[in-house]
Amino acid sequence: MDLHMKKTSRILALLLSLVAVFSLFGCGSKDSGDGSGDSSDDGTVYTISWAHSSSTNDRLALATEKMAAELEEASGGRLKIEHYPASQLGAEREILEGVALGTIDVGIISSGVVAGFSNSVYVTNMPYLIDEREIGWEVYDGEFGQMLGQKTEEEGGWKFLGWCDNSLRMFSNTKREIQTPADMVGLKIRTQENDIHMAIVNSLGASATPVAFSELYTALQQGTVDGQENGIALTYSMGFNEVVKYLTYLPHIYDPYIVCMSTAKWNSLPSDLQELMQEYATKYCQYEREFNLQNDDEYLQKMVDAGLQVYYPTDEQAQLFVDATSGVEDLIRAKVGDELVDAYKEAVAAAKAE
């Protein structure tokens, strides 16, 4: 009798296990998918966590909301974006770590942070090379930008979806007008945790001070740092202009944002949704650039009206900044190699010649 019961129990356990297995593979789950290229619609809804550090009224957020609505409609509700702005899922470094690990699906990250995960991206930090964003768009949409994006996939371990616009980085501070590098001596300037950004600031005579972006407003307010180096739209949308009083209109870096996706999440999507995801990521970059371009002129005027003093260096003064940072190129070459630096400079020269 005991032997019969044991056999019955084993058979029952086996049947329950089989039921569980068939249930797992027979039912669509919210975040499932085999990435096998099957483009059939089985009713599965794929939710994409989409994270960045900018505020809800910044161009990253505005472009996300516009794109997300269009993507959901185009996919028939099969792709849904869960939007996490304002560092809700962590600062940029934490977001990018999450993308690499697969705990966050998509991140929009500035190049200064990406370089810590993908060494090749240090090339984008070349100082005083791109001073017009349209030149930057040409470079990153072209052959060089796509090649660099593929390198980030290999080095960072994510799916590259595109480059959008983190604007032209400029120095602003609470202390004094900066006309030449001599005016930067003694200032503590917030940077990202990026060797090249820090080298640029230090070579200009200031003291580079890494601070998390989410803590920057407080750091400026409390005097932990005297200044920062971000684009116009971000300076306004994050309220930094409420603290800084002086801005020098001389871009030292054109900073692209990377749009990257968890490889695991990408592979979970059927092929037709992969195509849609890529298509609308490209549209997102276009929307974000348009918002950023509109915001720069509007926000600069608002900051001036509120009391921000803007200084435009002469050509001779601008050359002093170029000369002071000339050694940074050698640092970048040591990190990424001559071939990549030369390709970048050639791409910029070609874009400027058009």
Side-chain angles (χ1 to χ4, degrees), residues 240-276:
F240 299 147
N241 64 296
E242 298 169 2
V243 188
V244 300
K245 303 301 178 186
Y246 306 93
L247 182 144
T248 299
Y249 200 102
L250 180 66
H252 55 280
I253 291 176
Y254 172 74
D255 189 8
Y257 276 121
I258 193 173
V259 183
C260 56
M261 186 171 189
S262 157
T263 301
K265 191 67 174 187
W266 173 263
N267 289 338
S268 78
L269 301 179
S271 59
D272 62 327
L273 294 188
Q274 287 180 343
E275 291 176 6
L276 271 180

PDB file of all heavy atoms in Angstrom, residues 240-276:
ATOM      1  N   PHE A 240      19.253  75.902 -12.583  1.00  0.00           N
ATOM      2  CA  PHE A 240      20.588  76.309 -12.162  1.00  0.00           C
ATOM      3  C   PHE A 240      20.786  77.813 -12.285  1.00  0.00           C
ATOM      4  O   PHE A 240      21.593  78.410 -11.578  1.00  0.00           O
ATOM      5  CB  PHE A 240      21.659  75.580 -12.984  1.00  0.00           C
ATOM      6  CG  PHE A 240      21.622  74.076 -12.856  1.00  0.00           C
ATOM      7  CD1 PHE A 240      21.981  73.267 -13.926  1.00  0.00           C
ATOM      8  CD2 PHE A 240      21.232  73.469 -11.673  1.00  0.00           C
ATOM      9  CE1 PHE A 240      21.948  71.888 -13.813  1.00  0.00           C
ATOM     10  CE2 PHE A 240      21.189  72.086 -11.552  1.00  0.00           C
ATOM     11  CZ  PHE A 240      21.542  71.305 -12.628  1.00  0.00           C
ATOM     12  N   ASN A 241      20.042  78.428 -13.223  1.00  0.00           N
ATOM     13  CA  ASN A 241      20.156  79.876 -13.401  1.00  0.00           C
ATOM     14  C   ASN A 241      19.659  80.654 -12.192  1.00  0.00           C
ATOM     15  O   ASN A 241      19.936  81.850 -12.050  1.00  0.00           O
ATOM     16  CB  ASN A 241      19.378  80.311 -14.644  1.00  0.00           C
ATOM     17  CG  ASN A 241      17.883  80.063 -14.507  1.00  0.00           C
ATOM     18  OD1 ASN A 241      17.467  78.896 -14.400  1.00  0.00           O
ATOM     19  ND2 ASN A 241      17.088  81.116 -14.507  1.00  0.00           N
ATOM     20  N   GLU A 242      18.936  80.011 -11.309  1.00  0.00           N
ATOM     21  CA  GLU A 242      18.514  80.659 -10.064  1.00  0.00           C
ATOM     22  C   GLU A 242      19.693  80.871  -9.118  1.00  0.00           C
ATOM     23  O   GLU A 242      19.608  81.672  -8.192  1.00  0.00           O
ATOM     24  CB  GLU A 242      17.451  79.798  -9.372  1.00  0.00           C
ATOM     25  CG  GLU A 242      16.182  79.604 -10.179  1.00  0.00           C
ATOM     26  CD  GLU A 242      15.257  78.545  -9.599  1.00  0.00           C
ATOM     27  OE1 GLU A 242      15.604  77.985  -8.539  1.00  0.00           O
ATOM     28  OE2 GLU A 242      14.203  78.269 -10.205  1.00  0.00           O
ATOM     29  N   VAL A 243      20.784  80.143  -9.379  1.00  0.00           N
ATOM     30  CA  VAL A 243      21.954  80.204  -8.501  1.00  0.00           C
ATOM     31  C   VAL A 243      23.146  80.853  -9.212  1.00  0.00           C
ATOM     32  O   VAL A 243      23.788  81.751  -8.673  1.00  0.00           O
ATOM     33  CB  VAL A 243      22.341  78.797  -7.998  1.00  0.00           C
ATOM     34  CG1 VAL A 243      23.430  78.903  -6.926  1.00  0.00           C
ATOM     35  CG2 VAL A 243      21.131  78.052  -7.461  1.00  0.00           C
ATOM     36  N   VAL A 244      23.447  80.401 -10.438  1.00  0.00           N
ATOM     37  CA  VAL A 244      24.579  80.991 -11.162  1.00  0.00           C
ATOM     38  C   VAL A 244      24.196  82.379 -11.671  1.00  0.00           C
ATOM     39  O   VAL A 244      23.020  82.648 -11.938  1.00  0.00           O
ATOM     40  CB  VAL A 244      25.037  80.097 -12.337  1.00  0.00           C
ATOM     41  CG1 VAL A 244      25.481  78.739 -11.822  1.00  0.00           C
ATOM     42  CG2 VAL A 244      23.945  79.937 -13.389  1.00  0.00           C
ATOM     43  N   LYS A 245      25.191  83.242 -11.808  1.00  0.00           N
ATOM     44  CA  LYS A 245      24.940  84.621 -12.230  1.00  0.00           C
ATOM     45  C   LYS A 245      25.642  84.986 -13.534  1.00  0.00           C
ATOM     46  O   LYS A 245      25.300  85.985 -14.164  1.00  0.00           O
ATOM     47  CB  LYS A 245      25.398  85.594 -11.129  1.00  0.00           C
ATOM     48  CG  LYS A 245      24.734  85.363  -9.777  1.00  0.00           C
ATOM     49  CD  LYS A 245      23.223  85.484  -9.865  1.00  0.00           C
ATOM     50  CE  LYS A 245      22.558  85.206  -8.523  1.00  0.00           C
ATOM     51  NZ  LYS A 245      21.070  85.177  -8.633  1.00  0.00           N
ATOM     52  N   TYR A 246      26.625  84.165 -13.934  1.00  0.00           N
ATOM     53  CA  TYR A 246      27.435  84.502 -15.107  1.00  0.00           C
ATOM     54  C   TYR A 246      27.544  83.279 -16.019  1.00  0.00           C
ATOM     55  O   TYR A 246      27.789  82.164 -15.556  1.00  0.00           O
ATOM     56  CB  TYR A 246      28.848  84.933 -14.698  1.00  0.00           C
ATOM     57  CG  TYR A 246      28.871  86.049 -13.680  1.00  0.00           C
ATOM     58  CD1 TYR A 246      28.939  85.762 -12.320  1.00  0.00           C
ATOM     59  CD2 TYR A 246      28.825  87.388 -14.079  1.00  0.00           C
ATOM     60  CE1 TYR A 246      28.954  86.777 -11.373  1.00  0.00           C
ATOM     61  CE2 TYR A 246      28.837  88.404 -13.136  1.00  0.00           C
ATOM     62  CZ  TYR A 246      28.900  88.095 -11.783  1.00  0.00           C
ATOM     63  OH  TYR A 246      28.910  89.102 -10.856  1.00  0.00           O
ATOM     64  N   LEU A 247      27.380  83.504 -17.319  1.00  0.00           N
ATOM     65  CA  LEU A 247      27.548  82.442 -18.311  1.00  0.00           C
ATOM     66  C   LEU A 247      28.451  82.948 -19.425  1.00  0.00           C
ATOM     67  O   LEU A 247      28.275  84.078 -19.910  1.00  0.00           O
ATOM     68  CB  LEU A 247      26.201  82.012 -18.891  1.00  0.00           C
ATOM     69  CG  LEU A 247      26.223  80.860 -19.907  1.00  0.00           C
ATOM     70  CD1 LEU A 247      24.990  79.967 -19.739  1.00  0.00           C
ATOM     71  CD2 LEU A 247      26.275  81.368 -21.357  1.00  0.00           C
ATOM     72  N   THR A 248      29.423  82.137 -19.809  1.00  0.00           N
ATOM     73  CA  THR A 248      30.305  82.475 -20.918  1.00  0.00           C
ATOM     74  C   THR A 248      29.858  81.693 -22.144  1.00  0.00           C
ATOM     75  O   THR A 248      29.896  80.446 -22.133  1.00  0.00           O
ATOM     76  CB  THR A 248      31.773  82.141 -20.581  1.00  0.00           C
ATOM     77  OG1 THR A 248      32.168  82.911 -19.449  1.00  0.00           O
ATOM     78  CG2 THR A 248      32.680  82.456 -21.759  1.00  0.00           C
ATOM     79  N   TYR A 249      29.430  82.403 -23.178  1.00  0.00           N
ATOM     80  CA  TYR A 249      28.887  81.753 -24.371  1.00  0.00           C
ATOM     81  C   TYR A 249      30.045  81.340 -25.270  1.00  0.00           C
ATOM     82  O   TYR A 249      30.386  82.002 -26.252  1.00  0.00           O
ATOM     83  CB  TYR A 249      27.926  82.684 -25.109  1.00  0.00           C
ATOM     84  CG  TYR A 249      26.993  81.954 -26.040  1.00  0.00           C
ATOM     85  CD1 TYR A 249      25.666  81.711 -25.683  1.00  0.00           C
ATOM     86  CD2 TYR A 249      27.446  81.484 -27.279  1.00  0.00           C
ATOM     87  CE1 TYR A 249      24.812  81.031 -26.541  1.00  0.00           C
ATOM     88  CE2 TYR A 249      26.602  80.802 -28.134  1.00  0.00           C
ATOM     89  CZ  TYR A 249      25.291  80.584 -27.758  1.00  0.00           C
ATOM     90  OH  TYR A 249      24.449  79.908 -28.603  1.00  0.00           O
ATOM     91  N   LEU A 250      30.647  80.212 -24.899  1.00  0.00           N
ATOM     92  CA  LEU A 250      31.747  79.637 -25.678  1.00  0.00           C
ATOM     93  C   LEU A 250      31.695  78.128 -25.488  1.00  0.00           C
ATOM     94  O   LEU A 250      32.189  77.599 -24.487  1.00  0.00           O
ATOM     95  CB  LEU A 250      33.097  80.192 -25.209  1.00  0.00           C
ATOM     96  CG  LEU A 250      34.331  79.652 -25.947  1.00  0.00           C
ATOM     97  CD1 LEU A 250      34.322  80.090 -27.415  1.00  0.00           C
ATOM     98  CD2 LEU A 250      35.617  80.098 -25.259  1.00  0.00           C
ATOM     99  N   PRO A 251      31.088  77.390 -26.414  1.00  0.00           N
ATOM    100  CA  PRO A 251      30.944  75.947 -26.236  1.00  0.00           C
ATOM    101  C   PRO A 251      32.302  75.248 -26.216  1.00  0.00           C
ATOM    102  O   PRO A 251      33.114  75.439 -27.120  1.00  0.00           O
ATOM    103  CB  PRO A 251      30.137  75.519 -27.473  1.00  0.00           C
ATOM    104  CG  PRO A 251      29.519  76.781 -28.005  1.00  0.00           C
ATOM    105  CD  PRO A 251      30.481  77.866 -27.670  1.00  0.00           C
ATOM    106  N   HIS A 252      32.540  74.450 -25.187  1.00  0.00           N
ATOM    107  CA  HIS A 252      33.802  73.701 -25.139  1.00  0.00           C
ATOM    108  C   HIS A 252      33.611  72.244 -25.571  1.00  0.00           C
ATOM    109  O   HIS A 252      34.573  71.591 -25.955  1.00  0.00           O
ATOM    110  CB  HIS A 252      34.463  73.772 -23.762  1.00  0.00           C
ATOM    111  CG  HIS A 252      33.602  73.340 -22.623  1.00  0.00           C
ATOM    112  ND1 HIS A 252      32.655  74.164 -22.060  1.00  0.00           N
ATOM    113  CD2 HIS A 252      33.551  72.183 -21.924  1.00  0.00           C
ATOM    114  CE1 HIS A 252      32.053  73.526 -21.064  1.00  0.00           C
ATOM    115  NE2 HIS A 252      32.580  72.318 -20.963  1.00  0.00           N
ATOM    116  N   ILE A 253      32.386  71.717 -25.491  1.00  0.00           N
ATOM    117  CA  ILE A 253      32.097  70.358 -25.960  1.00  0.00           C
ATOM    118  C   ILE A 253      30.697  70.348 -26.564  1.00  0.00           C
ATOM    119  O   ILE A 253      29.774  70.926 -25.990  1.00  0.00           O
ATOM    120  CB  ILE A 253      32.132  69.330 -24.802  1.00  0.00           C
ATOM    121  CG1 ILE A 253      33.557  69.139 -24.265  1.00  0.00           C
ATOM    122  CG2 ILE A 253      31.594  67.972 -25.258  1.00  0.00           C
ATOM    123  CD1 ILE A 253      33.616  68.206 -23.063  1.00  0.00           C
ATOM    124  N   TYR A 254      30.553  69.690 -27.721  1.00  0.00           N
ATOM    125  CA  TYR A 254      29.219  69.318 -28.180  1.00  0.00           C
ATOM    126  C   TYR A 254      28.967  67.918 -27.635  1.00  0.00           C
ATOM    127  O   TYR A 254      29.681  66.970 -27.956  1.00  0.00           O
ATOM    128  CB  TYR A 254      29.084  69.306 -29.702  1.00  0.00           C
ATOM    129  CG  TYR A 254      27.753  68.721 -30.128  1.00  0.00           C
ATOM    130  CD1 TYR A 254      26.586  69.469 -29.972  1.00  0.00           C
ATOM    131  CD2 TYR A 254      27.651  67.411 -30.590  1.00  0.00           C
ATOM    132  CE1 TYR A 254      25.356  68.930 -30.308  1.00  0.00           C
ATOM    133  CE2 TYR A 254      26.420  66.871 -30.930  1.00  0.00           C
ATOM    134  CZ  TYR A 254      25.280  67.636 -30.776  1.00  0.00           C
ATOM    135  OH  TYR A 254      24.048  67.099 -31.084  1.00  0.00           O
ATOM    136  N   ASP A 255      27.941  67.808 -26.816  1.00  0.00           N
ATOM    137  CA  ASP A 255      27.711  66.587 -26.044  1.00  0.00           C
ATOM    138  C   ASP A 255      26.484  65.841 -26.559  1.00  0.00           C
ATOM    139  O   ASP A 255      25.357  66.294 -26.360  1.00  0.00           O
ATOM    140  CB  ASP A 255      27.510  66.968 -24.569  1.00  0.00           C
ATOM    141  CG  ASP A 255      27.474  65.769 -23.645  1.00  0.00           C
ATOM    142  OD1 ASP A 255      27.754  64.650 -24.115  1.00  0.00           O
ATOM    143  OD2 ASP A 255      27.172  65.958 -22.458  1.00  0.00           O
ATOM    144  N   PRO A 256      26.666  64.705 -27.228  1.00  0.00           N
ATOM    145  CA  PRO A 256      25.495  63.924 -27.626  1.00  0.00           C
ATOM    146  C   PRO A 256      25.002  63.044 -26.493  1.00  0.00           C
ATOM    147  O   PRO A 256      25.789  62.583 -25.658  1.00  0.00           O
ATOM    148  CB  PRO A 256      26.046  63.063 -28.760  1.00  0.00           C
ATOM    149  CG  PRO A 256      27.480  62.832 -28.400  1.00  0.00           C
ATOM    150  CD  PRO A 256      27.926  64.087 -27.690  1.00  0.00           C
ATOM    151  N   TYR A 257      23.707  62.846 -26.432  1.00  0.00           N
ATOM    152  CA  TYR A 257      23.133  61.806 -25.584  1.00  0.00           C
ATOM    153  C   TYR A 257      23.110  60.500 -26.382  1.00  0.00           C
ATOM    154  O   TYR A 257      22.812  60.509 -27.578  1.00  0.00           O
ATOM    155  CB  TYR A 257      21.674  62.120 -25.236  1.00  0.00           C
ATOM    156  CG  TYR A 257      21.436  63.047 -24.077  1.00  0.00           C
ATOM    157  CD1 TYR A 257      20.732  64.244 -24.271  1.00  0.00           C
ATOM    158  CD2 TYR A 257      21.826  62.726 -22.788  1.00  0.00           C
ATOM    159  CE1 TYR A 257      20.454  65.087 -23.211  1.00  0.00           C
ATOM    160  CE2 TYR A 257      21.559  63.572 -21.724  1.00  0.00           C
ATOM    161  CZ  TYR A 257      20.867  64.747 -21.943  1.00  0.00           C
ATOM    162  OH  TYR A 257      20.590  65.578 -20.881  1.00  0.00           O
ATOM    163  N   ILE A 258      23.388  59.394 -25.724  1.00  0.00           N
ATOM    164  CA  ILE A 258      23.172  58.109 -26.355  1.00  0.00           C
ATOM    165  C   ILE A 258      21.822  57.561 -25.906  1.00  0.00           C
ATOM    166  O   ILE A 258      21.413  57.766 -24.755  1.00  0.00           O
ATOM    167  CB  ILE A 258      24.288  57.099 -26.003  1.00  0.00           C
ATOM    168  CG1 ILE A 258      24.214  55.876 -26.924  1.00  0.00           C
ATOM    169  CG2 ILE A 258      24.237  56.689 -24.541  1.00  0.00           C
ATOM    170  CD1 ILE A 258      25.385  54.915 -26.763  1.00  0.00           C
ATOM    171  N   VAL A 259      21.102  56.943 -26.823  1.00  0.00           N
ATOM    172  CA  VAL A 259      19.886  56.202 -26.491  1.00  0.00           C
ATOM    173  C   VAL A 259      20.251  54.730 -26.606  1.00  0.00           C
ATOM    174  O   VAL A 259      20.578  54.252 -27.701  1.00  0.00           O
ATOM    175  CB  VAL A 259      18.718  56.545 -27.441  1.00  0.00           C
ATOM    176  CG1 VAL A 259      17.451  55.804 -27.010  1.00  0.00           C
ATOM    177  CG2 VAL A 259      18.476  58.051 -27.471  1.00  0.00           C
ATOM    178  N   CYS A 260      20.248  54.027 -25.491  1.00  0.00           N
ATOM    179  CA  CYS A 260      20.671  52.626 -25.516  1.00  0.00           C
ATOM    180  C   CYS A 260      19.656  51.759 -24.782  1.00  0.00           C
ATOM    181  O   CYS A 260      18.974  52.216 -23.862  1.00  0.00           O
ATOM    182  CB  CYS A 260      22.061  52.456 -24.919  1.00  0.00           C
ATOM    183  SG  CYS A 260      22.257  53.081 -23.242  1.00  0.00           S
ATOM    184  N   MET A 261      19.584  50.512 -25.200  1.00  0.00           N
ATOM    185  CA  MET A 261      18.561  49.591 -24.708  1.00  0.00           C
ATOM    186  C   MET A 261      19.207  48.317 -24.188  1.00  0.00           C
ATOM    187  O   MET A 261      20.212  47.845 -24.739  1.00  0.00           O
ATOM    188  CB  MET A 261      17.577  49.259 -25.835  1.00  0.00           C
ATOM    189  CG  MET A 261      16.388  48.417 -25.424  1.00  0.00           C
ATOM    190  SD  MET A 261      15.180  48.307 -26.770  1.00  0.00           S
ATOM    191  CE  MET A 261      13.806  47.517 -25.904  1.00  0.00           C
ATOM    192  N   SER A 262      18.636  47.777 -23.150  1.00  0.00           N
ATOM    193  CA  SER A 262      19.080  46.486 -22.628  1.00  0.00           C
ATOM    194  C   SER A 262      19.072  45.444 -23.742  1.00  0.00           C
ATOM    195  O   SER A 262      18.070  45.286 -24.445  1.00  0.00           O
ATOM    196  CB  SER A 262      18.161  46.044 -21.485  1.00  0.00           C
ATOM    197  OG  SER A 262      18.192  44.648 -21.302  1.00  0.00           O
ATOM    198  N   THR A 263      20.176  44.745 -23.897  1.00  0.00           N
ATOM    199  CA  THR A 263      20.256  43.703 -24.928  1.00  0.00           C
ATOM    200  C   THR A 263      19.207  42.622 -24.698  1.00  0.00           C
ATOM    201  O   THR A 263      18.573  42.143 -25.653  1.00  0.00           O
ATOM    202  CB  THR A 263      21.663  43.073 -24.941  1.00  0.00           C
ATOM    203  OG1 THR A 263      22.624  44.094 -25.198  1.00  0.00           O
ATOM    204  CG2 THR A 263      21.764  42.007 -26.015  1.00  0.00           C
ATOM    205  N   ALA A 264      19.016  42.254 -23.439  1.00  0.00           N
ATOM    206  CA  ALA A 264      18.026  41.217 -23.130  1.00  0.00           C
ATOM    207  C   ALA A 264      16.631  41.667 -23.521  1.00  0.00           C
ATOM    208  O   ALA A 264      15.840  40.889 -24.082  1.00  0.00           O
ATOM    209  CB  ALA A 264      18.079  40.865 -21.646  1.00  0.00           C
ATOM    210  N   LYS A 265      16.311  42.940 -23.247  1.00  0.00           N
ATOM    211  CA  LYS A 265      14.990  43.437 -23.595  1.00  0.00           C
ATOM    212  C   LYS A 265      14.824  43.498 -25.109  1.00  0.00           C
ATOM    213  O   LYS A 265      13.774  43.125 -25.655  1.00  0.00           O
ATOM    214  CB  LYS A 265      14.756  44.813 -22.984  1.00  0.00           C
ATOM    215  CG  LYS A 265      13.317  45.292 -23.080  1.00  0.00           C
ATOM    216  CD  LYS A 265      12.412  44.433 -22.223  1.00  0.00           C
ATOM    217  CE  LYS A 265      10.995  44.980 -22.189  1.00  0.00           C
ATOM    218  NZ  LYS A 265      10.160  44.248 -21.224  1.00  0.00           N
ATOM    219  N   TRP A 266      15.861  43.976 -25.792  1.00  0.00           N
ATOM    220  CA  TRP A 266      15.813  44.037 -27.253  1.00  0.00           C
ATOM    221  C   TRP A 266      15.584  42.649 -27.836  1.00  0.00           C
ATOM    222  O   TRP A 266      14.746  42.454 -28.711  1.00  0.00           O
ATOM    223  CB  TRP A 266      17.107  44.639 -27.789  1.00  0.00           C
ATOM    224  CG  TRP A 266      17.229  44.598 -29.276  1.00  0.00           C
ATOM    225  CD1 TRP A 266      17.903  43.661 -30.019  1.00  0.00           C
ATOM    226  CD2 TRP A 266      16.656  45.513 -30.229  1.00  0.00           C
ATOM    227  NE1 TRP A 266      17.797  43.951 -31.366  1.00  0.00           N
ATOM    228  CE2 TRP A 266      17.039  45.077 -31.519  1.00  0.00           C
ATOM    229  CE3 TRP A 266      15.876  46.660 -30.105  1.00  0.00           C
ATOM    230  CZ2 TRP A 266      16.663  45.748 -32.678  1.00  0.00           C
ATOM    231  CZ3 TRP A 266      15.488  47.333 -31.263  1.00  0.00           C
ATOM    232  CH2 TRP A 266      15.880  46.883 -32.526  1.00  0.00           C
ATOM    233  N   ASN A 267      16.320  41.680 -27.341  1.00  0.00           N
ATOM    234  CA  ASN A 267      16.201  40.316 -27.860  1.00  0.00           C
ATOM    235  C   ASN A 267      14.858  39.679 -27.536  1.00  0.00           C
ATOM    236  O   ASN A 267      14.442  38.719 -28.196  1.00  0.00           O
ATOM    237  CB  ASN A 267      17.327  39.440 -27.310  1.00  0.00           C
ATOM    238  CG  ASN A 267      18.672  39.796 -27.901  1.00  0.00           C
ATOM    239  OD1 ASN A 267      18.759  40.385 -28.977  1.00  0.00           O
ATOM    240  ND2 ASN A 267      19.735  39.450 -27.196  1.00  0.00           N
ATOM    241  N   SER A 268      14.164  40.213 -26.531  1.00  0.00           N
ATOM    242  CA  SER A 268      12.861  39.654 -26.170  1.00  0.00           C
ATOM    243  C   SER A 268      11.759  40.086 -27.125  1.00  0.00           C
ATOM    244  O   SER A 268      10.687  39.477 -27.157  1.00  0.00           O
ATOM    245  CB  SER A 268      12.485  40.088 -24.746  1.00  0.00           C
ATOM    246  OG  SER A 268      12.015  41.427 -24.705  1.00  0.00           O
ATOM    247  N   LEU A 269      12.036  41.136 -27.927  1.00  0.00           N
ATOM    248  CA  LEU A 269      11.014  41.657 -28.830  1.00  0.00           C
ATOM    249  C   LEU A 269      10.980  40.867 -30.125  1.00  0.00           C
ATOM    250  O   LEU A 269      12.038  40.547 -30.692  1.00  0.00           O
ATOM    251  CB  LEU A 269      11.286  43.129 -29.158  1.00  0.00           C
ATOM    252  CG  LEU A 269      11.331  44.127 -28.004  1.00  0.00           C
ATOM    253  CD1 LEU A 269      11.649  45.520 -28.544  1.00  0.00           C
ATOM    254  CD2 LEU A 269      10.027  44.144 -27.227  1.00  0.00           C
ATOM    255  N   PRO A 270       9.806  40.567 -30.654  1.00  0.00           N
ATOM    256  CA  PRO A 270       9.729  39.980 -32.001  1.00  0.00           C
ATOM    257  C   PRO A 270      10.235  40.977 -33.031  1.00  0.00           C
ATOM    258  O   PRO A 270      10.299  42.185 -32.776  1.00  0.00           O
ATOM    259  CB  PRO A 270       8.240  39.677 -32.175  1.00  0.00           C
ATOM    260  CG  PRO A 270       7.538  40.528 -31.182  1.00  0.00           C
ATOM    261  CD  PRO A 270       8.470  40.733 -30.038  1.00  0.00           C
ATOM    262  N   SER A 271      10.590  40.491 -34.189  1.00  0.00           N
ATOM    263  CA  SER A 271      11.296  41.313 -35.172  1.00  0.00           C
ATOM    264  C   SER A 271      10.510  42.549 -35.599  1.00  0.00           C
ATOM    265  O   SER A 271      11.086  43.610 -35.826  1.00  0.00           O
ATOM    266  CB  SER A 271      11.648  40.478 -36.406  1.00  0.00           C
ATOM    267  OG  SER A 271      10.477  39.951 -37.006  1.00  0.00           O
ATOM    268  N   ASP A 272       9.176  42.432 -35.721  1.00  0.00           N
ATOM    269  CA  ASP A 272       8.410  43.599 -36.168  1.00  0.00           C
ATOM    270  C   ASP A 272       8.440  44.706 -35.114  1.00  0.00           C
ATOM    271  O   ASP A 272       8.471  45.889 -35.447  1.00  0.00           O
ATOM    272  CB  ASP A 272       6.974  43.209 -36.524  1.00  0.00           C
ATOM    273  CG  ASP A 272       6.193  42.639 -35.354  1.00  0.00           C
ATOM    274  OD1 ASP A 272       6.810  41.963 -34.495  1.00  0.00           O
ATOM    275  OD2 ASP A 272       4.967  42.860 -35.278  1.00  0.00           O
ATOM    276  N   LEU A 273       8.468  44.320 -33.838  1.00  0.00           N
ATOM    277  CA  LEU A 273       8.535  45.332 -32.784  1.00  0.00           C
ATOM    278  C   LEU A 273       9.947  45.886 -32.623  1.00  0.00           C
ATOM    279  O   LEU A 273      10.121  47.044 -32.234  1.00  0.00           O
ATOM    280  CB  LEU A 273       8.025  44.751 -31.459  1.00  0.00           C
ATOM    281  CG  LEU A 273       6.535  44.393 -31.427  1.00  0.00           C
ATOM    282  CD1 LEU A 273       6.103  44.013 -30.017  1.00  0.00           C
ATOM    283  CD2 LEU A 273       5.659  45.539 -31.954  1.00  0.00           C
ATOM    284  N   GLN A 274      10.952  45.086 -32.937  1.00  0.00           N
ATOM    285  CA  GLN A 274      12.313  45.618 -32.979  1.00  0.00           C
ATOM    286  C   GLN A 274      12.418  46.728 -34.023  1.00  0.00           C
ATOM    287  O   GLN A 274      13.021  47.779 -33.774  1.00  0.00           O
ATOM    288  CB  GLN A 274      13.312  44.505 -33.284  1.00  0.00           C
ATOM    289  CG  GLN A 274      13.560  43.546 -32.138  1.00  0.00           C
ATOM    290  CD  GLN A 274      14.551  42.454 -32.498  1.00  0.00           C
ATOM    291  OE1 GLN A 274      14.826  42.210 -33.678  1.00  0.00           O
ATOM    292  NE2 GLN A 274      15.094  41.786 -31.487  1.00  0.00           N
ATOM    293  N   GLU A 275      11.822  46.486 -35.176  1.00  0.00           N
ATOM    294  CA  GLU A 275      11.844  47.501 -36.240  1.00  0.00           C
ATOM    295  C   GLU A 275      11.128  48.774 -35.799  1.00  0.00           C
ATOM    296  O   GLU A 275      11.607  49.891 -36.046  1.00  0.00           O
ATOM    297  CB  GLU A 275      11.199  46.941 -37.503  1.00  0.00           C
ATOM    298  CG  GLU A 275      12.001  45.838 -38.173  1.00  0.00           C
ATOM    299  CD  GLU A 275      11.275  45.231 -39.367  1.00  0.00           C
ATOM    300  OE1 GLU A 275      10.207  45.760 -39.731  1.00  0.00           O
ATOM    301  OE2 GLU A 275      11.774  44.236 -39.925  1.00  0.00           O
ATOM    302  N   LEU A 276       9.985  48.610 -35.145  1.00  0.00           N
ATOM    303  CA  LEU A 276       9.254  49.780 -34.645  1.00  0.00           C
ATOM    304  C   LEU A 276      10.045  50.504 -33.573  1.00  0.00           C
ATOM    305  O   LEU A 276      10.083  51.743 -33.533  1.00  0.00           O
ATOM    306  CB  LEU A 276       7.899  49.358 -34.077  1.00  0.00           C
ATOM    307  CG  LEU A 276       6.707  49.312 -35.033  1.00  0.00           C
ATOM    308  CD1 LEU A 276       5.456  48.869 -34.290  1.00  0.00           C
ATOM    309  CD2 LEU A 276       6.466  50.666 -35.698  1.00  0.00           C
TER     310      LEU A 276
END
